[in-house]
Amino acid sequence: MTDISTPRPRAALFVTCMVDTLYPGVGMAAAQLLQRHGADVVFPDRQTCCGQPAFNAGYRNDARAVARHLIDVFWPLVDGGDVDAVVAPSGSCVAMVKRHYPILFEAAHDIEYQRRAVQLGEVTYELTQYLVDYLGVADAGARCPGRLAYHPCCHLLRELHIDAQPRRLLSSLKDAEIAELPNADECCGFGGLFALKNADISTAMGRRKVRNVNHSGADMVVLNDVSCMTHLNGILRREGHSCRAVHIAEVLNGTVEHATAERDSPDDR
Amino acid sequence: MTVDVGAAYPTRVRQALADDALRAALDRATEHLRGRRAQALAGVDATRLRDEAHAVRRYAIEHLPDLLEQLEGNLIANGCQVHWARDAAEALGVVLEIAHQNHVKDVVKSKSMVTEEIGLNDALQRSGIDVVETDLGEFIIQLAGEPPSHIITPVIHKRLEDISEIFQTKLDTPPTDQPAELCDTARRALRSEFLIADMGISGCNFAIAETGTICIVTNEGNGRMVTSLPRVYVAIAGIEKVVRSVEDAVLLWQAASRNATGQDVSVYFSMSSGPRRRGDSDGPDEMHVILIDNGRSRILERRYGDATLCIRCGACINICPVYREIGGHAYGRTPYSGPIGAVITPLLEYDIRPARDLPFASSLCGACRDVCPVKIDLPRLLLDLRSDIVERRAAPIAERVGMRVYSTALRRPAPYRALARLARRLGRLAALLPPLKRWARTREPPRFAAKSFATLWRERGRRPGEGAAE
């Protein structure tokens, strides 16, 4: 397995606050995927959040305070050569680090943190991007019986331009049938604080997505962000649909049945 | 109209979401326009068109004072009268003065959002002047007594059956489901208006500096009638509408047409370079051009200058998933809706506050940035505006407190863990708290995991044979 001449890549897992507190199974799946496909995983346990909720809502001072902490946790590992990459099972949080941190610190004329943010952003990857582009994974080596629809999350698709990687990994799944999702790249309506501030519009958008998911005939809608997953499952469950939104890490890791069963335990209804 | 544009933002949104006819109309129209745009761009080098259109607009904005002076000089040389207006009141004053001097009783108008922006129709009517909108869509909503709900397709919020009903009530025509019949009715009604009008008023799509020419992009031929039939023609142009050359204008005409309505070019492109000259068979006796600022230089001075690159094609509106649910009237009294409207409506005003909800009416999905023919980074402008609004302390107090709690807790691991433990203990009760209640009304709330990932990872590390853990 391990080759002495080329050491295994080392990835620091940025698990994200939502995965940490709501969906640890997604984090475990991400870590296992990385390990199975040839990377060593480091989990810096002082990590919290990327600051996106505050940034998107316009609270840049609050966002900077949280962002500085993330940089303090991950940047030394990168700068010191302890890890080659930072990997997160989220397009949105990665977009925050790569695309918005530089803006955040530039606006505050914080040159040192801006420099660190740029340096950190260069080696920060979304999970499927890292698996395909960095580790060269072409086949997830997992099985997933059922009909899957893929929903490209907006920040993954339009901030990071990641689309081929998750689709390639999904198409490698054994026993999986990939369903065509109508208007797949239309937003699910989550949008962070938007989901609360504009709850009715957000719900209307989510219902439209759910209609499209149902139209595709999929048993599962697979996506790369647990935020959008929470939104869609909130509507799917409230409206009594059997289809579930699942995170791509669990699908690729073959641990999705366990995860769904856990979420929909009998005391749920 | 079920959406009251004068009501508060939450009311407007609620009214829009409850209107099934409106939402059916929006669905149909946005889907159609998206499809047409995609088709029109498939036939050309869309990337190159976009790069060039951006460059042309960028040049114009960066050379605005020089181009405006050149434009003024050439318009005057062509025999036009040029007026500068700082704001809506000054522009309205100029129009009324011109109307007064020429004893104007009847005005015909070509579709123009800048005249909606300054409330021109109201001002004219208050002075006893009759105004008729001659664009078919504008004609319909004028009959219905409504403002436009889209900058390109102002009557997008109505279905065919709604329009037939308006014509039955206002024009006393029999019911019909034939668009051609409705068109004929409108054409007949408008013909006589054109013939009696003393003054034509249009907006301006492009004002060409090097030739002193006002260009308007239309599809129905009504624009040409407005600019050439009445004795007086008044064009009102935002100062950002200036472009360098005929070539630049033609390029933008193509970009606007393909992105707005999915046409290679619009049916008409009317260029007016002055009043009728000796020997001309037609044209107005007088041509006036009003160059209006009304907040545009303020946008340019601040960090929002890119918003003035806009060529008003509406592609961002048609692709916007928020607009698609609520339509244009939910954005309020402004004629500008969708992502571009959410950016410029608060900026065109002296005070951001009255329209402060609009920059938050976006999920920041980024679809608008991808379709913009002049590459305006609309999500970035929305984010900057949000930050401006928060810095002016115009955000709700509960939200400010919430964000402070969030950032205080999450900038260190220990309070973060404590907050997560608290949330876990609250469990489903958390969904009763005011902000989360808004989630739980229509969506099942997620449940906090019994053990966090950090805990699981630590425990896993203690057990041998479970792989590399740190």
Side-chain angles (χ1 to χ4, degrees):
Chain A
M1 218 30 210
T2 25
D3 183 344
I4 307 290
S5 56
T6 50
R8 278 163 69 94
R10 282 165 72 84
L13 181 63
F14 166 38
V15 81
T16 79
C17 61
M18 279 188 80
V19 166
D20 182 43
T21 56
L22 297 170
Y23 308 104
V26 170
M28 278 301 169
Q32 284 161 6
L33 275 171
L34 291 171
Q35 289 168 339
R36 192 162 63 249
H37 292 289
D40 285 340
V41 177
V42 176
F43 178 72
D45 65 2
R46 290 175 57 77
Q47 62 181 276
T48 60
C49 171
C50 66
Q52 185 172 204
F55 179 77
N56 280 0
Y59 294 79
R60 296 208 173 161
N61 288 330
D62 293 306
R64 257 189 299 273
V66 178
R68 274 203 190 91
H69 176 70
L70 184 137
I71 293 174
D72 289 344
V73 169
F74 286 97
W75 177 78
L77 295 174
V78 171
D79 190 53
D82 297 328
V83 298
D84 312 295
V86 175
V87 179
S90 160
S92 202
C93 308
V94 169
M96 179 67 194
V97 174
K98 285 176 92 84
R99 303 243 321 157
H100 293 144
Y101 274 16
I103 298 173
L104 200 53
F105 292 106
E106 187 192 358
H109 308 292
D110 188 337
I111 294 162
E112 180 52 25
Y113 270 85
Q114 194 192 352
R115 187 183 69 80
R116 291 181 190 187
V118 170
Q119 204 184 336
L120 184 63
E122 279 164 5
V123 295
T124 300
Y125 296 83
E126 184 274 335
L127 176 68
T128 60
Q129 177 193 28
Y130 185 76
L131 287 171
V132 173
D133 296 350
Y134 198 100
L135 296 180
V137 180
D139 185 342
R143 188 176 158 271
C144 186
R147 205 169 146 83
L148 311 181
Y150 175 67
H151 166 65
C153 296
C154 297
H155 290 173
L156 184 78
L157 182 66
R158 283 184 282 264
E159 297 286 348
L160 301 174
H161 305 289
I162 297 171
D163 197 43
Q165 299 92 327
R167 288 184 189 274
R168 187 179 316 162
L169 292 175
L170 286 179
S171 70
S172 77
L173 289 169
K174 283 168 202 67
D175 303 328
E177 186 194 343
I178 308 293
E180 191 61 43
L181 179 61
N183 280 335
D185 57 4
E186 199 167 63
C187 178
C188 78
F190 174 70
L193 200 64
F194 174 79
L196 301 179
K197 250 178 131 77
N198 282 284
D200 294 338
I201 305 176
S202 163
T203 301
M205 290 162 70
R207 284 180 180 152
R208 182 189 295 275
K209 179 61 68 181
V210 163
R211 280 200 299 281
N212 283 327
V213 167
N214 282 335
H215 193 262
S216 76
D219 320 307
M220 278 184 267
V221 52
V222 184
L223 31 68
N224 295 36
D225 271 281
V226 293
S227 49
C228 312
M229 179 181 97
T230 304
H231 188 232
L232 285 182
N233 277 332
I235 293 173
L236 287 165
R237 286 168 56 194
R238 175 62 59 88
E239 298 186 349
H241 301 286
S242 61
C243 176
R244 287 292 172 267
V246 288
H247 193 276
I248 194 164
E250 290 184 309
V251 175
L252 297 177
N253 196 43
T255 43
V256 70
E257 275 146 325
H258 171 66
T260 344
E262 192 175 65
R263 271 206 293 279
D264 288 356
S265 54
D267 71 341
D268 228 30
R269 299 264 156 189
Chain B
M1 175 174 61
T2 48
V3 180
D4 172 9
V5 294
Y9 172 74
T11 311
R12 299 195 304 261
V13 168
R14 208 174 321 117
Q15 288 169 339
L17 287 174
D19 185 344
D20 291 337
L22 165 70
R23 298 182 67 196
L26 285 171
D27 251 16
R28 215 179 296 166
T30 51
E31 193 74 25
H32 175 70
L33 287 166
R34 288 178 189 187
R36 295 219 23 180
R37 174 184 174 275
Q39 239 174 1
L41 288 173
V44 289
D45 185 345
T47 314
R48 189 171 148 206
L49 180 62
R50 201 166 180 236
D51 287 344
E52 289 177 355
H54 172 84
V56 161
R57 286 300 299 143
R58 176 69 71 200
Y59 177 90
I61 292 307
E62 282 175 0
H63 298 82
L64 199 56
D66 292 343
L67 288 177
L68 283 169
E69 268 181 40
Q70 192 188 3
L71 173 70
E72 181 185 35
N74 285 326
L75 282 168
I76 292 171
N78 293 342
C80 296
Q81 298 176 50
V82 178
H83 313 263
W84 297 89
R86 249 186 298 259
D87 54 22
E90 280 191 14
L92 294 175
V94 172
V95 178
L96 290 174
E97 179 60 26
I98 298 167
H100 181 73
Q101 278 173 2
N102 289 282
H103 310 291
V104 168
K105 293 267 173 290
D106 294 283
V107 169
V108 281
K109 274 184 69 197
S110 178
K111 184 172 83 64
S112 149
M113 288 306 121
V114 72
T115 62
E116 298 285 345
E117 177 188 322
I118 62 176
L120 179 65
N121 290 11
D122 269 1
L124 287 168
Q125 276 156 355
R126 273 200 307 274
S127 301
I129 298 168
D130 198 35
V131 194
V132 176
E133 293 286 352
T134 64
D135 169 86
L136 179 58
E138 289 279 343
F139 176 70
I140 295 165
I141 54 169
Q142 193 185 19
L143 286 178
E146 297 179 15
S149 71
H150 188 290
I151 58 172
I152 296 298
T153 48
V155 70
I156 193 170
H157 58 290
K158 297 263 187 242
R159 301 165 305 170
L160 191 59
E161 47 269 47
D162 305 325
I163 296 165
S164 167
E165 214 175 286
I166 295 166
F167 277 25
Q168 287 167 57
T169 336
K170 302 283 175 174
L171 301 176
D172 209 20
T173 54
T176 177
D177 56 0
Q178 298 299 313
E181 269 181 47
L182 293 168
C183 269
D184 275 347
T185 306
R187 180 177 284 133
R188 273 195 304 276
L190 287 170
R191 182 65 51 167
S192 53
E193 300 291 348
F194 280 121
L195 293 174
I196 61 159
D198 321 288
M199 184 194 257
I201 300 180
S202 79
C204 167
N205 289 92
F206 318 111
I208 304 171
E210 68 175 23
T211 56
T213 304
I214 299 298
C215 309
I216 61 171
V217 175
T218 68
N219 273 320
E220 296 162 16
N222 63 308
R224 198 70 187 121
M225 307 262 278
V226 164
T227 63
S228 55
L229 263 183
R231 15 186 201 98
V232 183
Y233 167 43
V234 179
I236 307 181
I239 52 169
E240 86 284 13
K241 294 291 179 186
V242 70
V243 296
R244 178 175 37 189
S245 61
V246 174
E247 288 75 16
D248 284 4
V250 168
L251 178 87
L252 294 176
W253 172 33
Q254 200 201 137
S257 303
R258 288 187 191 270
N259 281 282
T261 44
Q263 294 165 287
D264 294 351
V265 288
S266 62
V267 179
Y268 290 85
F269 187 66
S270 306
M271 304 171 83
S272 303
S273 302
R276 167 161 46 180
R277 289 164 301 189
R278 201 185 299 273
D280 283 355
S281 56
D282 55 19
D285 298 334
E286 284 183 19
M287 174 169 166
H288 297 261
V289 176
I290 303 175
L291 295 166
I292 180 172
D293 184 331
N294 205 33
R296 287 159 177 78
S297 54
R298 211 164 39 237
I299 294 179
L300 280 161
E301 280 159 18
R302 294 162 62 190
R303 53 184 164 171
Y304 301 106
D306 277 13
T308 61
L309 297 173
C310 178
I311 55 172
R312 305 281 189 268
C313 72
C316 65
I317 304 176
N318 300 333
I319 202 75
C320 178
V322 171
Y323 178 89
R324 194 177 194 184
E325 303 294 346
I326 61 175
H329 290 152
Y331 290 78
R333 288 189 198 281
T334 174
Y336 309 114
S337 55
I340 188 67
V343 169
I344 64 175
T345 300
L347 288 172
L348 286 173
E349 301 292 329
Y350 284 104
D351 185 5
I352 273 182
R353 282 166 194 262
R356 68 184 165 201
D357 289 310
L358 299 186
F360 294 93
S362 163
S363 63
L364 300 174
C365 78
C368 49
R369 176 179 51 212
D370 281 9
V371 298
C372 178
V374 290
K375 298 203 260 190
I376 303 174
D377 189 347
L378 286 155
R380 172 72 196 273
L381 296 175
L382 289 167
L383 281 165
D384 286 346
L385 264 166
R386 291 178 181 192
S387 143
D388 251 10
I389 289 165
V390 168
E391 271 166 31
R392 286 166 201 221
R393 306 179 74 78
I397 179 96
E399 186 184 290
R400 269 153 47 198
V401 171
M403 282 299 168
R404 187 50 54 86
V405 170
Y406 159 82
S407 72
T408 308
L410 271 66
R411 79 181 75 181
R412 282 180 295 267
Y416 162 67
R417 300 275 163 224
L419 197 66
R421 270 197 305 276
L422 176 70
R424 199 172 303 128
R425 250 185 240 132
L426 276 176
R428 314 217 103 192
L429 290 175
L432 299 175
L433 297 171
L436 297 180
K437 223 160 69 179
R438 278 189 240 164
W439 174 282
R441 210 158 37 77
T442 51
R443 295 156 287 198
E444 286 300 310
R447 287 193 306 159
F448 281 84
K451 285 181 179 175
S452 70
F453 175 84
T455 306
L456 288 178
W457 186 262
R458 204 170 47 241
E459 289 176 359
R460 183 172 171 268
R462 287 205 202 97
R463 292 199 300 272
E466 280 274 2
E470 302 284 324

